[in-house]
Amino acid sequence: MLTVQQLSVAFGGDVLFDTISFRIGGGDRIGLIGKNGAGKSTMLRVLAQQQELTSGQLAYEKNTSIGYLPQDVEHNTGKTVLEEAYTAFPRLQTIEQELQHINHNLDTRTDYESAAFQDLLNTQANLNQEYELLGGYTYQAQTARILVGLGFKESDFHQQTTTFSGGWRMRIELVKLLLQEHDLLLLDEPTNHLDIEAIIWLEAFLAKYAGAVVLVSHDIRFLDQVTNRTLELVQGKLFDFKKSYTKYLEHRGLLREQQLAAKKNQDKKIAETEKLIEKFRAKASKARMAQSLIKKLDKVERIAIDPEENATMAIHFPVAQQPGKVVLELENIRKTYGEHQVLNGISLLVPRGSKIAFVGQNGQGKTTLAKIIVNEIKAEGSCRLGHNVQLGYFAQNQAQQLDPNKTVLDTALDAATHDKRPVVRDMLGAFLFRDTAVEKKVGVLSGGERNRLALCKLLLQPFNVLVMDEPTNHLDIRAKEVLKNALLNFEGTLLLVSHDRDFLTGLCDRIFEFKNQKIKEYLGGLEAYLQQKALPNLEALNSTAKQTANKPSSSTTTTYADQKALKKIKNQLQKLEGSIEKQEKELKAIDLELEINYGEITAQEGFFDRYQAKKDKLNALFLEWEKLQEQLEAKS
């Protein structure tokens, strides 16, 4: 499909890639990894033929179609979601317009026997045939399927794209790319703007994708689920392993250990040979032997150890001063944008030292609530900060708000309080901006480097409550690990908006799910939340119910009233489980029909609303079941 030969790219004398060669074949699912600034995005631009080479060449197989999704896209305006998605099919849209024009001519003309009329009929037949071959009778259903998969509702389809956030508009760009079914798909951090449900859907879609895929991602689970090959960029070199990310790491570590052991053994033999040479040189009778050993030593191919990126950020989030026991209290928060209500009746109490994650689909109000807390936007209701609370805020677009014309050093100095200015260079060094790197313009930094600079700015201000909105976007895997460890050791309070499953795992002790203008609390962190959300079927619920029902009572005596109440709850549970089972069967039947005849079913008026209503009803039944289960546990 594509062969890269002796590729080199340099910027201003600095070599980014040095004589790199590799091949991409059909069925490859490649994870392109490396530290921030290693050149991952540049490599994708090279493969997409949007970046000039210093030397080397790219050899594509004939008629190879390439789709490229960069990190930042200029969005079109003036179209609805559906209209914008349909632009993925320019030829089909052209044919539709031509057929509409021809049909109008055929309806208005009366020269049925003329050559011109016959030519129109022939053209119409040819266009109809081409339209069918290009999928003209299925592309609308296919578009709806992918839009729904990436989180859009049917009611969104006819909304103007300008009414959606940047994250949702990036999804539209991804939809267009997936619809075009390219031979080679190049994706630069596609999960940055996706919630957990959409990421899982994209994993399944890419796993079955007919073409080859090269993607840059710092989501370890996403890489493991999608990729079967890993390319790592390290210090201008490329390492290629036919393994997913986690297996690659294990193999790479083992290989490096073997290299180190072999080199140690070789170095020992070389040292022994050099001692003999020095010994023989001193004797005239042994001079010939010394020369022979020197020639032999010159021919030894020295074992090279693969380079490794050992530089890591050194982050510590200090607490400015100790706040009161309650750091934040929200009461009946309501927020609307025009006629669209995002939050309704949100109440929340945050004790000191909490580590809380906000999760849920895009557009459900997570970022909105974060901005209300830091007083960036106003809302109805009450938002009160506790005694001595000092807020630190990392916005989702923090890195994009940096002035591209300023240097790294000037950016940090401008953000620093008076007492922090003397240590600005040390702080920048901790974030891997060392020596001449502090004189770089912000505009030339990679996405990950800009995020590191934004984090550094944050630490140059005092805070004891930290509000962070998607802080891991663009950060490489190692940098994310360092940030996570720093937040684990942070003694203050953390409110975190994130869709990154690995980052959230083990970090937060409370999860708030945003859905339908409300929030729901889950105790026990992300693992407990995902367990509750991912119960696969009714049997799993039933087994949980049985375990709880069979659990011995902590009390040795039970009154008649208690027994009656328990029996009533169990009867309600049994009835409810029957309703859940029935609803699940109905949804499974619809899903089966969708697999068999998607286009015909989805073409029915109001299908998606009815389908979503069934899902909402099932979710409501689950919520009711959970409440009853809690009552049963309390009384048992």
Side-chain angles (χ1 to χ4, degrees):
M1 184 175 291
L2 167 61
T3 301
V4 179
Q5 296 177 323
Q6 300 295 301
L7 169 67
S8 294
V9 174
F11 296 105
D14 293 330
V15 176
L16 193 58
F17 309 136
D18 185 17
T19 59
I20 286 174
S21 297
F22 61 96
R23 188 179 186 283
I24 299 172
D28 277 342
R29 301 282 185 277
I30 298 173
L32 182 61
I33 65 170
K35 71 163 192 170
N36 293 137
K40 302 183 296 295
S41 295
T42 301
M43 177 63 80
L44 288 189
R45 287 197 298 272
V46 166
L47 299 180
Q49 298 178 299
Q50 295 187 14
Q51 172 72 50
E52 291 187 7
L53 317 181
T54 304
S55 63
Q57 61 180 2
L58 306 178
Y60 291 89
E61 290 180 4
K62 190 177 180 181
N63 299 324
T64 297
S65 168
I66 302 170
Y68 170 49
L69 182 75
Q71 288 182 23
D72 301 305
V73 178
E74 287 196 16
H75 304 290
N76 299 322
T77 58
K79 288 186 173 68
T80 65
V81 170
L82 208 53
E83 289 169 344
E84 184 61 35
Y86 286 161
T87 63
F89 307 97
R91 180 54 188 158
L92 286 175
Q93 291 192 309
T94 300
I95 293 174
E96 286 174 345
Q97 291 171 3
E98 291 177 4
L99 284 171
Q100 189 177 9
H101 179 69
I102 289 172
N103 290 334
H104 176 72
N105 277 351
L106 291 172
D107 288 341
T108 55
R109 294 179 68 143
T110 57
D111 55 336
Y112 307 122
E113 304 300 326
S114 69
F117 193 87
Q118 190 60 46
D119 286 343
L120 276 177
L121 288 174
N122 291 337
T123 303
Q124 182 192 48
N126 291 334
L127 286 173
N128 277 325
Q129 186 179 15
E130 184 183 358
Y131 189 72
E132 184 174 3
L133 287 171
L134 292 175
Y137 299 110
T138 58
Y139 82 92
Q140 292 181 346
Q142 186 184 8
T143 301
R145 178 174 67 87
I146 294 181
L147 282 169
V148 170
L150 286 174
F152 289 93
K153 298 177 182 176
E154 190 182 11
S155 57
D156 297 328
F157 289 3
H158 302 290
Q159 299 293 324
Q160 289 286 316
T161 58
T162 50
T163 63
F164 290 86
S165 67
W168 281 97
R169 294 172 78 179
M170 279 298 293
R171 290 193 194 202
I172 298 172
E173 297 302 320
L174 180 57
V175 167
K176 288 158 59 177
L177 205 61
L178 298 181
L179 284 167
Q180 289 166 338
E181 297 182 349
H182 294 284
D183 301 312
L184 176 59
L185 204 54
L186 308 172
L187 305 175
D188 197 350
E189 301 202 38
T191 62
N192 270 357
H193 303 285
L194 300 182
D195 52 52
I196 291 172
E197 291 179 10
I199 291 172
I200 292 170
W201 181 90
L202 183 60
E203 287 173 353
F205 184 94
L206 292 178
K208 296 183 289 185
Y209 192 72
V213 179
V214 180
L215 61 92
V216 173
S217 178
H218 304 310
D219 185 326
I220 295 173
R221 292 196 194 188
F222 184 71
L223 287 170
D224 281 343
Q225 290 293 327
V226 174
T227 63
N228 56 19
R229 182 177 168 195
T230 300
L231 298 180
E232 183 181 21
L233 289 167
V234 182
Q235 298 175 17
K237 301 294 183 184
L238 188 78
F239 296 90
D240 186 353
F241 292 87
K242 286 183 167 51
K243 298 177 183 293
S244 60
Y245 179 75
T246 301
K247 291 179 180 177
Y248 153 77
L249 278 186
E250 295 170 0
H251 185 75
R252 180 106 151 79
L254 181 62
L255 186 64
R256 189 173 170 79
E257 285 179 13
Q258 292 171 349
Q259 286 178 337
L260 288 167
K263 189 174 188 313
K264 184 178 180 182
N265 189 43
Q266 186 186 63
D267 289 345
K268 183 180 177 182
K269 289 180 178 179
I270 289 171
E272 290 172 352
T273 304
E274 286 173 341
K275 281 182 181 179
L276 283 175
I277 290 170
E278 290 301 316
K279 183 178 179 182
F280 292 160
R281 271 179 175 163
K283 299 179 180 179
S285 60
K286 303 282 188 178
R288 184 176 291 179
M289 290 182 67
Q291 288 300 316
S292 176
L293 287 172
I294 290 171
K295 289 179 181 179
K296 183 180 178 181
L297 200 58
D298 289 340
K299 291 179 182 179
V300 172
E301 187 176 340
R302 305 296 172 107
I303 295 171
I305 304 299
D306 291 341
E308 198 173 33
E309 293 291 358
N310 294 314
T312 57
M313 297 187 298
I315 308 178
H316 173 63
F317 291 106
V319 174
Q321 59 178 334
Q322 192 76 314
K325 289 185 178 180
V326 175
V327 298
L328 174 67
E329 188 173 359
L330 302 178
E331 190 173 345
N332 201 25
I333 294 292
R334 296 182 301 280
K335 180 63 182 175
T336 59
Y337 292 101
E339 295 181 358
H340 178 54
Q341 185 153 31
V342 181
L343 300 171
N344 184 19
I346 303 299
S347 297
L348 175 64
L349 190 74
V350 180
R352 180 180 64 208
S354 299
K355 286 187 168 65
I356 294 171
F358 291 167
V359 303
Q361 287 189 334
N362 292 123
Q364 293 293 329
K366 303 182 300 298
T367 295
T368 297
L369 189 61
K371 288 181 177 180
I372 291 169
I373 291 168
V374 299
N375 201 29
E376 191 169 297
I377 59 175
K378 300 295 182 183
E380 296 179 58
S382 171
C383 176
R384 295 188 296 273
L385 298 181
H387 179 64
N388 280 343
V389 167
Q390 291 178 292
L391 288 173
Y393 178 46
F394 186 93
Q396 189 174 141
N397 60 345
Q398 193 89 24
Q400 283 72 44
Q401 292 178 351
L402 300 174
D403 187 340
N405 298 313
K406 284 185 179 180
T407 65
V408 169
L409 181 59
D410 288 339
T411 300
L413 285 169
D414 290 346
T417 56
H418 179 73
D419 61 313
K420 294 281 188 179
R421 288 178 71 85
V423 298
V424 161
R425 282 184 177 271
D426 292 337
M427 289 288 289
L428 286 171
F431 282 85
L432 306 184
F433 295 108
R434 295 165 184 158
D435 304 324
T436 57
V438 299
E439 302 301 333
K440 281 185 177 181
K441 295 281 189 182
V442 170
V444 304
L445 300 179
S446 70
E449 288 171 324
R450 287 198 297 270
N451 242 33
R452 292 208 311 261
L453 180 57
L455 283 168
C456 183
K457 276 184 63 180
L458 178 64
L459 285 177
L460 292 167
Q461 299 286 332
F463 58 83
N464 49 31
V465 175
L466 192 50
V467 181
M468 305 188 87
D469 191 357
E470 301 288 1
T472 61
N473 281 355
H474 309 296
L475 286 183
D476 61 54
I477 291 168
R478 184 170 293 184
K480 284 202 304 184
E481 289 173 356
V482 173
L483 175 60
K484 181 175 179 177
N485 287 330
L487 291 174
L488 281 168
N489 293 319
F490 176 50
E491 294 179 357
T493 305
L494 174 66
L495 299 174
L496 176 64
V497 179
S498 180
H499 296 128
D500 190 318
R501 293 162 292 176
D502 281 296
F503 188 71
L504 288 175
T505 299
L507 177 56
C508 296
D509 48 38
R510 294 164 72 193
I511 303 289
F512 282 92
E513 181 187 42
F514 284 63
K515 191 172 184 181
N516 298 329
Q517 306 166 14
K518 301 289 186 181
I519 61 173
K520 181 180 178 183
E521 182 178 10
Y522 291 82
L523 299 176
L526 185 73
E527 300 90 336
Y529 166 73
L530 288 180
Q531 259 188 340
Q532 292 182 63
K533 296 295 290 182
L535 285 172
N537 49 43
L538 186 64
E539 285 70 32
L541 286 173
N542 284 334
S543 63
T544 308
K546 286 173 185 174
Q547 289 173 12
T548 309
N550 293 333
K551 189 172 71 172
S553 172
S554 57
S555 173
T556 55
T557 60
T558 307
T559 65
Y560 174 77
D562 289 336
Q563 291 175 357
K564 192 174 179 181
L566 276 172
K567 186 176 180 180
K568 183 179 179 182
I569 292 172
K570 288 177 181 178
N571 288 338
Q572 288 175 321
L573 276 170
Q574 189 175 3
K575 185 177 178 181
L576 196 56
E577 287 167 359
S579 299
I580 290 172
E581 188 172 23
K582 180 183 176 184
Q583 197 71 13
E584 283 186 323
K585 283 180 179 177
E586 289 178 5
L587 279 169
K588 284 179 181 177
I590 295 172
D591 289 338
L592 183 61
E593 289 178 15
L594 283 172
E595 289 180 10
I596 297 169
N597 197 351
Y598 184 89
E600 184 178 330
I601 293 169
T602 56
Q604 297 172 11
E605 186 176 351
F607 166 78
F608 286 103
D609 286 337
R610 293 195 299 275
Y611 186 63
Q612 188 62 44
K614 283 188 176 292
K615 282 190 169 182
D616 292 342
K617 184 178 178 181
L618 182 60
N619 287 334
L621 290 171
F622 275 130
L623 289 173
E624 191 177 348
W625 183 91
E626 288 175 7
K627 289 178 182 177
L628 286 171
Q629 192 62 49
E630 288 171 1
Q631 291 176 30
L632 186 65
E633 289 176 1
K635 290 182 178 293
S636 296

